[in-house]
Amino acid sequence: MKTIIVWLCAAILAQAASAASAQNALPQFQVDPFWPKRLPNNWILGQVSGIATDKYDRIWVVHRPGSLTPRERAAEQNPPEAKCCVAAPPVLVFDQSGNLIRHWGGPGQGYEWPESEHGIFIDDNDFVWLSGNGKKDGQLLKFTMEGKFVLQIGKQGQGNDSNSTERLGSPADVAVDVAAKEVFAADGYANRRVVVFDSETGAYKRHWGAYGNKPSDEKTAAYDPGKPPSQQFGNPVHCIRIDKDGLVYVCDRTNDRVQIFRKDGSFVAEQVYEKATRGTGSVYDLVFSPDREQRFIYMIDGMNGEVRIVDHASKATLAAFGRPGRQAGEFTALHNIAVDRQGNIFTAEVNTGERIQKFRRLDMQE
């Protein structure tokens, strides 16, 4: 009997240790060098400036055809200078196997297509939102998944105004609260704010700057890790995400920080990452892991060329992977990140990176 009790105790302890180990285990990823498959029609990607997933686990990409060089578009020349290549349409959709299953985008009737394509977001009602960071871009665009135009918020124009209620200033990214019928914009490359509109009508609702204060367009000093944090967002305000608790996370890229707000714009907290990083900054984009508790934040650092795994609760960095480079699993101008329901990560690269990569989650997610 005593032997049985000892064995049972050992089994219980082993089970508890295993559960604790699983609880503390970090997600494990491996690059898939064969994803996606070759594009049809001699198409080639330019700078990939936005990536997102939808609830069907399809991967949406927006890229910049205009960023391609004449040599990269040699087959488009008249006469053609080489067998390849031709610029792909701006919006591309892939399945889990890397097959291209849909494509559309570009100028059309009734809306102003961005000068420089930037962010893409798929809301829970299956609408596709696009933004642009060109110098004239002051608009958000809403389409169906098939590419039918639905709504334009704002308009193109000159100059910036972080307190405008009529147009944006080179917005970088959007997030949508479908229950509240609100679209939140990270605004942006010219402006220094978060701005919120009615996602059905486009009507202006509210905006705020760093720490929830009124934004200013007055010139600010370049980021200096030895000085107190800036009271204004830097340019660009590069990402915006809403977590399971309804908190709004904003990437203040060049100030190396995330600021967190309630949906009404009241400030909650901030967290700095890789404080010594200058240049283009350390906080480019983020997504939450797809488990019910959203245990992890996957954050990308374009200047240091890595994906950061952050504990959602404490905001502490747990691990990172990647480095600057051009091989599979390395990054050149890492710019955006997305995650699917299986926990796989997808990344996008701009400048001379011009590609997307998939990192398969190897361990079992909860």
Side-chain angles (χ1 to χ4, degrees):
M1 183 69 174
K2 186 175 180 179
T3 302
I4 294 174
I5 292 172
V6 170
W7 182 85
L8 285 172
C9 288
I12 291 169
L13 287 170
Q15 187 175 22
S18 176
S21 176
Q23 181 69 19
N24 295 324
L26 288 175
Q28 302 296 312
F29 297 98
Q30 183 179 63
V31 67
D32 180 349
F34 302 107
W35 194 97
K37 296 178 181 177
R38 180 180 295 178
L39 294 175
N41 307 319
N42 263 349
W43 285 345
I44 188 173
L45 288 174
Q47 297 177 9
V48 186
S49 51
I51 194 165
T53 55
D54 62 23
K55 61 189 177 186
Y56 311 104
D57 272 351
R58 297 176 298 205
I59 300 88
W60 292 72
V61 165
V62 64
H63 81 110
R64 298 168 178 158
S67 68
L68 289 162
T69 66
R71 180 170 180 170
E72 289 171 317
R73 302 175 76 157
E76 290 184 48
Q77 309 305 314
N78 187 16
E81 295 181 351
K83 294 188 292 184
C84 196
C85 295
V86 175
V91 177
L92 305 171
V93 189
F94 298 89
D95 65 18
Q96 282 289 314
S97 298
N99 299 300
L100 180 67
I101 57 174
R102 186 172 295 164
H103 53 84
W104 50 266
Q109 187 173 1
Y111 61 87
E112 297 171 307
W113 189 260
E115 284 187 331
S116 175
E117 296 87 350
H118 201 275
I120 187 167
F121 182 85
I122 319 302
D123 72 25
D124 288 340
N125 287 334
D126 293 345
F127 288 105
V128 182
W129 294 82
L130 296 166
S131 59
N133 70 326
K135 289 185 178 180
K136 286 186 179 180
D137 290 334
Q139 77 277 25
L140 303 177
L141 298 177
K142 180 181 181 181
F143 294 88
T144 67
M145 286 188 164
E146 292 73 33
K148 181 181 178 182
F149 171 64
V150 176
L151 178 69
Q152 176 170 319
I153 300 174
K155 57 187 177 181
Q156 289 186 330
Q158 296 287 350
N160 61 300
D161 179 357
S162 291
N163 291 293
S164 173
T165 61
E166 296 180 349
R167 64 182 298 269
L168 299 94
S170 306
D173 196 18
V174 299
V176 179
D177 180 349
V178 295
K181 297 182 179 179
E182 291 184 335
V183 54
F184 293 69
D187 186 33
Y189 273 77
N191 289 344
R192 299 177 175 181
R193 64 173 178 174
V194 172
V195 61
V196 186
F197 299 92
D198 187 298
S199 60
E200 304 297 312
T201 68
Y204 164 84
K205 302 192 78 169
R206 60 190 177 276
H207 72 272
W208 66 85
Y211 300 105
N213 297 325
K214 183 178 179 179
S216 169
D217 292 316
E218 293 294 322
K219 186 176 180 179
T220 56
Y223 173 73
D224 184 339
K227 292 184 177 179
S230 174
Q231 295 302 298
Q232 295 288 338
F233 286 135
N235 294 117
V237 187
H238 203 248
C239 90
I240 190 160
R241 296 285 179 263
I242 303 173
D243 76 358
K244 63 181 178 61
D245 299 317
L247 294 176
V248 180
Y249 285 61
V250 179
C251 297
D252 188 5
R253 196 177 93 179
T254 54
N255 284 318
D256 293 349
R257 65 186 178 184
V258 172
Q259 288 203 339
I260 304 169
F261 304 88
R262 295 182 181 88
K263 291 178 184 176
D264 63 4
S266 55
F267 176 72
V268 175
E270 76 174 353
Q271 184 73 37
V272 175
Y273 295 92
E274 298 296 339
K275 184 178 180 179
T277 301
R278 299 176 188 254
T280 57
S282 67
V283 182
Y284 272 58
D285 195 8
L286 62 87
V287 288
F288 305 102
S289 60
D291 54 282
R292 185 185 304 174
E293 297 303 314
Q294 295 183 339
R295 286 184 57 205
F296 304 105
I297 300 172
Y298 302 131
M299 183 183 299
I300 60 168
D301 181 337
M303 192 66 186
N304 294 303
E306 63 183 19
V307 176
R308 191 177 295 126
I309 301 174
V310 173
D311 180 71
H312 192 169
S314 69
K315 311 301 183 291
T317 299
L318 304 175
F321 63 86
R323 50 149 284 179
R326 301 185 183 277
Q327 307 306 313
E330 299 176 344
F331 303 109
T332 297
L334 179 60
H335 194 256
N336 296 95
I337 188 168
V339 64
D340 65 18
R341 292 182 301 169
Q342 282 72 51
N344 303 308
I345 283 176
F346 302 85
T347 60
E349 297 168 51
V350 292
N351 292 348
T352 58
E354 296 185 334
R355 66 174 174 177
I356 51 180
Q357 297 192 76
K358 178 177 183 176
F359 295 84
R360 296 185 182 276
R361 180 147 181 190
L362 300 179
D363 58 307
M364 293 289 291
Q365 76 167 0
E366 297 174 12

